[in-house]
């Protein structure tokens, strides 16, 4: 009997069990009530044989799945990885370029499930079985966290205000409907996607360049971890429910996932991941460090920077500049993604270079390993950027983002008329393009979504520090 057939017969089997319970309930010696028996049945986990490989579809996004410093990350990715590990089944991940293509992969039998939040709508319900913990989102107003009492706390406060949103987006449509409901007065500014995207608009609210924008609450939560001066509490739309889905042909997998998500350890892990991705600040609270370069020194670790920079042929002041931007020379720093030590080395990278978890915060070992990473990045990029001086910025960028995203940015630069061998104004611009779906889903882009602004700013900060050190600290 196949799993599908067995699942289809399950209601009849349960009915038969209930019938037996009813007959037993009539016996005077029975102390178990019918309701208690039925409740017991409801919580029984019906086990089916897991497939040899769990084929899972997902999409690149800042919430579900992305690659950061060569590590696969994302809330949905981490949860489905934990599920597969607990069930001791290998996981095969397939990346779709859109929600519709993910559904097509499910319909065709190419994948077993989608670990991405699929809206719970009548349209999708016909062809999928929802499972896991529902996430509820809504569109929210992004506004400055003003202390002067000028916060907008009701949609009527939008009348007469300027609100900037992506052109032809669901946010523009919702604002247009809301404007009609309110009798007009909201000044809606539709911005072309080729110019700015949602993440850009959120940052512009933070900087004061624009007053207001509208985004989905989960995107707002992610971005608030980068800009803690924002208020995202005002909902302007009805809530939207969403969850993972499985193919109806293996609907029993949905029951297995539902049962698993209610268990204590997965519930605890889910709470931890929600804090990591949606609550914990991505802007580390690092102590101020005086870098006035008094007495020709940069840090207490100059001797280590000099030693290991010499081994790779680098100016030690540039290596020290990275150390400053990475951790402000604080070896106790642990980033939101788990990077540790003076040079903020990721756990998987540390293991790849033979650096144990106990040693990763040892300053000597941490800087020595960082120098090896930099040397390997330089070798990998040499054929693409032959000029050694120019290559420095590519290497620094790759240290921050992982070399995969720099390869993608070089490919994008080549395709879209930019110079793939120059950083400023060229590959630097292509790095910024990697946060836009039309580019990270481009055929030349192999490693998907990346928050390019992070690496763009990182390179600028490192080289600004380095330039100051060059003038004040002897080589």
């Amino acid at each position: 009997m196949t799993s599908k057939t067995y699942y289809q017969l399950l209601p009849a089997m349960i009915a038969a069990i209930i019938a037996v319970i009813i007959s037993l309930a009539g016996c005077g010696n029975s102390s178990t009530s019918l309701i208690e028996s039925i409740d017991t049945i409801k919580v029984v986990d019906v086990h089916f044989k897991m497939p040899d490989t769990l084929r899972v579809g997902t999409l690149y996004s800042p919430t579900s799945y992305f690659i950061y410093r060569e590590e696969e990350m994302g809330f949905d990715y981490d949860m489905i990885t934990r599920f597969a590990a607990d069930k001791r089944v290998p996981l095969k991940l397939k990346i779709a370029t859109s929600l519709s293509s993910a559904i097509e992969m499910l319909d065709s039998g190419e994948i077993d499930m989608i670990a991405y939040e699929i809206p719970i709508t009548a349209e999708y319900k016909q062809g999928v079985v929802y499972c896991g913990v529902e996430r509820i989102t809504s569109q929210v107003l992004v506004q400055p966290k003003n202390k002067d009492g000028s916060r907008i706390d009701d949609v009527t406060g939008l009348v007469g205000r300027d609100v900037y949103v992506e052109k032809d987006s669901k946010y523009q449509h919702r604002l247009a409907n809301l404007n009609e409901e309110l009798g007009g007065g909201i000044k809606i500014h539709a911005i072309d996607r080729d110019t700015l995207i949602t993440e850009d608009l959120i940052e512009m609210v933070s900087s004061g360049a624009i007053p207001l924008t509208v985004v989905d609450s989960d995107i707002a939560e992610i971005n608030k971890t980068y800009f803690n001066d924002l208020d995202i509490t005002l909902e302007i739309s009805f809530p939207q429910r969403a969850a993972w889905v499985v193919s109806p042909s293996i609907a029993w997998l949905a029951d297995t996932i539902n049962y698993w998500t209610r268990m204590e350890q997965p519930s605890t892990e889910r709470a931890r991941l929600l804090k990591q991705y949606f609550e914990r600040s991505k802007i580390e609270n690092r102590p101020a460090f005086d870098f006035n370069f008094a007495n020709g020194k940069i840090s207490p670790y100059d001797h280590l920077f000099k030693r290991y920079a010499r081994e790779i042929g680098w100016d030690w002041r540039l290596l020290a500049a990275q150390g400053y931007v990475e951790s402000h020379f604080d070896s106790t720093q642990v980033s939101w993604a788990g990077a540790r030590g003076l040079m903020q080395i990721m756990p998987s990278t540390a293991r790849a270079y033979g650096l144990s978890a106990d040693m990763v915060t040892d300053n000597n070992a941490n800087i020595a390993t960082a120098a090896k990473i930099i040397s390997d990045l330089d070798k990998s990029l040499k054929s693409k950027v032959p000029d050694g001086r120019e290559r420095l910025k590519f290497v620094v960028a790759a240290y921050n983002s992982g070399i995969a995203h720099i390869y993608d940015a070089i490919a994008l630069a080549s395709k879209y008329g930019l110079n793939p061998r120059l950083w400023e104004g060229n590959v630097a611009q292509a790095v910024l393009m990697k946060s836009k779906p039309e580019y990270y889903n481009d055929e030349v882009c192999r490693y998907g979504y990346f928050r390019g602004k992070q690496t763009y700013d990182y390179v600028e900060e490192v080289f600004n520090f380095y330039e100051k050190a060059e003038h004040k600290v002897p080589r």
Side-chain angles (χ1 to χ4, degrees), residues 66 68 73 226 276-277 280-284 334-339 454:
F66 57 90
Y68 176 67
M73 304 185 74
Y226 291 94
Q276 176 183 350
Y277 287 108
R280 181 172 175 179
S281 175
K282 307 300 190 299
I283 309 300
E284 306 300 334
V334 181
S335 79
W336 70 272
Q454 175 181 322

Side-chain angles (χ1 to χ4, degrees), residues 343-360:
M343 301 299 288
Q344 291 289 279
I345 298 174
M346 292 288 285
S348 64
T349 304
R351 290 192 296 270
Y353 281 85
L355 187 62
S356 69
D358 292 336
M359 288 296 291
V360 73

Side-chain angles (χ1 to χ4, degrees), residues 382-412:
K382 189 172 184 178
S383 63
K384 296 185 179 294
V385 190
D387 183 84
R389 182 73 183 177
E390 184 64 26
R391 193 164 63 248
L392 291 175
K393 290 191 175 182
F394 284 76
V395 172
V396 169
Y399 188 93
N400 176 258
S401 67
I403 198 168
H405 294 302
I406 303 307
Y407 283 153
D408 273 356
I410 290 171
L412 286 169

